[in-house]
């Protein structure tokens, strides 16, 4: 018996050494590819963008030798020995218990491309040039010149960019993006994926995941702006009481969605609050009678929503065991960049880089037909806004940094880095 055990141990040790050598080869291949990619990329992109592009395009190695050993070993009897302690690996890592996913819900600010996969006769402008011009001219369906906030958050969390739910053959090992441009808490525009639809899609994914995985994961959410756009467009003369009633409905439905995610296992929620809607280039252009001033009704609705959302999340934290959250003050952060663009390294905070009209507020990329003429700036990095309602990659990077590691007057009670660090 002892001789057989010794032989098994020798075999396992040899197998382990072979796997470790395989890890080294994979990582060496990755580093070589990434170095070459970075050298070529550096001619046209900033370092941060190159890093994301090259990590995506090269063969991505495992995050640690331990995980790689376990992934290979679990296909054989090696896994049982790894987990029994014969090999020095952390069983929690081996079981994937430390891996934390990122789930994204929202509208066009967070949509990584779901809308371009919808069965719709409507042209999805962001799936075409000039959207994506900063991202090697790849129009991915993101409503920006390049990357959006969730992309940077994934990078900071040491995850791959989280793919859109509807992308064929997408790898959801690091999370899923359910956001849909133009959507809202309510069905603001037929054919898009509103919050109930996003929640339905999440439940399909969650059904194949262990509840403990969901407890460790972070849920990043940006939603509500389109609901207020729609309400104010349809009800320009609404009373304060009517606006308050609608706001309560929006926040109430958001809260109910959080409770459903919580029941499925979700515990850590990161909100980006509603921005200064009335100061977007699109809105200033939509209300020419304001002579370039911000639309106060939209601003009031936004601040009303943000106050109510903060109170609602505090209540959930007190009532739901383990519920943790953060709220990023997107409203203040964006408004300050609009009013003091140069303070943040921009040349223009009021007019968009791409579009038509006084503020380039509409029809970037030719609008819904693709045939309308439009203006396009030579350097999106100089602008806060890429089109009439969406920020540039440079602005998105700045905002994501605040979400990830911002101080309490910007985001709280946790920032997203702290949420990921929570067990």
């Amino acid at each position: 018996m002892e001789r057989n055990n010794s032989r098994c141990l020798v075999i396992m040790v040899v197998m382990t050494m072979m796997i470790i050598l395989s890890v080294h080869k994979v990582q060496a291949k990755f580093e070589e590819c990434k170095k070459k990619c970075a050298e070529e990329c550096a001619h046209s992109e900033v370092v941060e963008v190159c890093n994301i592009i090259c990590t995506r395009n090269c063969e991505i190695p495992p995050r640690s030798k331990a995980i790689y050993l376990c992934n290979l070993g679990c296909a054989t009897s090696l896994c049982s020995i790894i987990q029994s302690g014969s090999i020095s690996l952390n069983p929690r890592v081996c079981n994937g218990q430390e891996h934390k996913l990122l789930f994204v819900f929202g509208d066009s600010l967070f949509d990584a491309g779901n809308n371009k996969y919808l069965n719709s006769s409507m042209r999805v402008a962001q799936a075409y040039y000039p959207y994506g011009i900063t991202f090697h001219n790849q129009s991915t369906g993101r409503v920006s010149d390049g990357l959006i906030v969730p992309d940077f958050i994934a990078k900071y969390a040491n995850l791959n960019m989280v793919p859109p739910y509807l992308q064929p053959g997408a790898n959801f090992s690091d999370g899923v993006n359910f956001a849909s441009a133009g959507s809202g808490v309510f069905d603001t525009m037929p054919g898009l994926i509103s919050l109930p639809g996003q929640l339905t899609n999440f439940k399909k994914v969650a059904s194949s995941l262990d509840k403990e995985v969901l407890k460790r994961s972070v849920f990043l959410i940006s939603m509500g702006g389109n609901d207020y756009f729609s309400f104010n467009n349809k009800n320009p003369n609404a009373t304060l009481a009517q606006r308050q009633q609608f706001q309560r409905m929006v926040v109430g439905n958001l809260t109910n969605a959080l409770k459903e995610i919580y029941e499925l296992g979700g515990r850590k929620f990161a909100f980006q609050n509603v921005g200064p809607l009335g100061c977007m280039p699109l809105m200033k252009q939509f209300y020419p009678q304001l002579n370039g001033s911000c639309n106060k009704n939209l601003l009031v609705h936004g601040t009303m929503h943000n106050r109510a959302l903060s109170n609602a999340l505090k209540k959930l934290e007190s009532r739901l065991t383990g519920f943790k959250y953060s709220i990023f003050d997107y409203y203040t952060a964006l408004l300050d960049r609009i009013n003091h663009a140069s303070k943040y390294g921009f040349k223009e905070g009021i007019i968009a880089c791409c579009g038509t009209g006084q503020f380039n507020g509409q029809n970037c990329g030719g609008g819904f037909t693709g045939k309308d003429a439009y203006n396009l700036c030579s350097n999106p990095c100089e602008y806060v806004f890429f089109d009439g309602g969406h920020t540039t990659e440079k602005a998105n990077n700045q905002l994501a940094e605040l979400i990830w590691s911002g101080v309490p007057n910007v985001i709280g009670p946790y920032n997203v880095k702290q949420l990921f660090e929570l067990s």
Side-chain angles (χ1 to χ4, degrees):
M1 178 67 76
E2 283 187 23
R3 185 176 298 175
N4 287 337
N5 287 340
S6 297
R7 184 179 299 170
C8 286
L9 183 58
V10 169
I11 292 171
M12 290 305 173
V13 169
V14 171
M15 287 176 62
T16 302
M17 293 305 297
M18 291 175 65
I19 294 170
I20 290 173
L21 287 173
S22 176
V23 170
H24 284 300
K25 288 181 180 179
V26 170
Q27 290 178 328
K29 183 178 179 181
F30 169 78
E31 293 299 336
E32 181 183 355
C33 171
K34 191 173 180 182
K35 181 179 178 181
K36 182 178 179 181
C37 173
E39 289 173 353
E40 297 174 353
C41 175
H43 296 296
S44 58
E45 300 290 355
V46 296
V47 175
E48 292 84 359
V49 176
C50 284
N51 184 54
I52 294 174
I53 293 171
C54 294
T55 300
R56 180 196 62 188
N57 291 345
C58 293
E59 183 178 3
I60 300 173
R63 289 180 182 77
S64 71
K65 291 182 177 66
I67 293 175
Y68 190 67
L69 283 168
C70 189
N71 288 342
L72 288 180
C74 284
T76 68
S77 60
L78 179 60
C79 191
S80 60
I81 293 184
I82 289 174
Q83 292 177 333
S84 68
S86 297
I87 296 174
S88 181
L89 290 176
N90 183 346
R92 291 182 69 243
V93 174
C94 190
N95 285 328
Q97 292 179 9
E98 289 187 344
H99 188 45
K100 299 169 183 178
L101 282 63
L102 177 65
F103 295 103
V104 182
F105 297 78
D107 48 33
S108 54
L109 299 178
F110 281 7
D111 184 1
N114 277 306
N115 278 21
K116 78 174 188 176
Y117 298 108
L118 292 172
N119 293 323
S120 173
S121 59
M122 183 182 297
R123 180 178 183 269
V124 180
Q126 61 267 28
Y128 301 93
Y129 180 89
Y131 290 97
I133 56 172
T134 304
F135 195 59
H136 283 302
N137 281 320
Q138 295 182 32
S139 301
T140 60
R142 291 168 172 81
V143 193
S144 181
D145 60 303
L147 302 180
I148 55 177
V149 166
D151 298 325
F152 289 108
I153 296 299
K155 172 194 168 186
Y156 301 148
N158 196 29
L159 302 172
N160 299 315
M161 286 193 294
V162 178
Y165 172 75
L166 295 180
Q167 179 180 314
N171 185 341
F172 296 156
S173 60
D174 283 340
V176 191
N177 188 317
F178 302 100
S180 173
S183 69
V185 174
F186 297 112
D187 192 5
T188 55
M189 188 179 295
L192 303 181
I193 314 172
S194 59
L195 181 58
Q198 293 181 35
L199 196 56
T200 296
N201 291 337
F202 166 69
K203 289 176 180 178
K204 294 175 184 177
V205 173
S207 65
S208 64
L209 295 174
D210 188 90
K211 196 169 185 177
E212 290 302 314
V213 173
L214 298 177
K215 284 183 178 179
R216 293 191 302 272
S217 301
V218 172
F219 296 80
L220 182 63
I221 304 167
S222 171
M223 190 166 275
N226 288 321
D227 296 284
Y228 297 114
F229 278 140
S230 177
F231 177 88
N232 283 275
N233 184 42
K234 295 176 181 177
N235 306 280
N237 300 313
T239 64
L240 179 60
Q242 290 171 326
R243 295 180 195 282
Q244 289 174 330
Q245 181 183 14
F246 183 73
Q247 166 265 299
R248 284 193 290 270
M249 292 168 61
V250 171
V251 174
N253 278 269
L254 263 176
T255 302
N256 289 336
L258 294 185
K259 290 177 181 177
E260 288 193 57
I261 296 173
Y262 178 88
E263 288 299 318
L264 294 169
R267 292 295 182 270
K268 298 184 284 187
F269 300 88
F271 267 91
Q272 173 173 287
N273 71 14
V274 168
L277 305 175
C279 295
M280 306 289 184
L282 172 63
M283 288 298 104
K284 288 184 176 181
Q285 201 162 300
F286 196 71
Y287 297 98
Q289 65 271 27
L290 298 177
N291 297 316
S293 298
C294 299
N295 184 302
K296 291 183 179 180
N297 284 338
L298 282 169
L299 292 181
V300 168
H301 232 163
T303 54
M304 194 184 297
H305 169 94
N306 293 341
R307 195 180 307 116
L309 176 63
S310 178
N311 292 334
L313 292 177
K314 286 178 183 176
K315 289 181 181 178
L316 287 179
E317 184 181 39
S318 67
R319 295 172 182 174
L320 302 178
T321 303
F323 182 95
K324 304 294 181 185
Y325 72 94
S326 71
I327 302 181
F328 168 52
D329 190 2
Y330 176 59
Y331 183 101
T332 300
L334 182 56
L335 187 60
D336 204 37
R337 283 162 175 76
I338 293 171
N339 294 331
H340 307 100
S342 61
K343 176 181 172 183
Y344 299 96
F346 301 100
K347 290 185 177 180
E348 180 59 63
I350 296 174
I351 299 172
C353 164
C354 178
T356 59
Q358 183 181 358
F359 300 98
N360 281 345
Q362 296 170 283
N363 299 329
C364 177
F368 291 115
T369 64
K371 299 178 181 179
D372 297 331
Y374 61 91
N375 305 312
L376 180 63
C377 69
S378 59
N379 186 4
C381 289
E382 296 178 346
Y383 289 72
V384 173
F385 288 98
F386 181 64
D387 69 8
H390 307 92
T391 40
T392 58
E393 181 183 273
K394 179 178 177 179
N396 289 334
N397 193 2
Q398 292 183 3
L399 297 169
E401 287 176 352
L402 295 175
I403 293 173
W404 178 252
S405 57
V407 294
N409 67 322
V410 174
I411 184 169
Y414 297 90
N415 58 39
V416 171
K417 182 175 184 289
Q418 292 168 335
L419 287 180
F420 266 99
E421 290 172 346
L422 290 173
S423 59

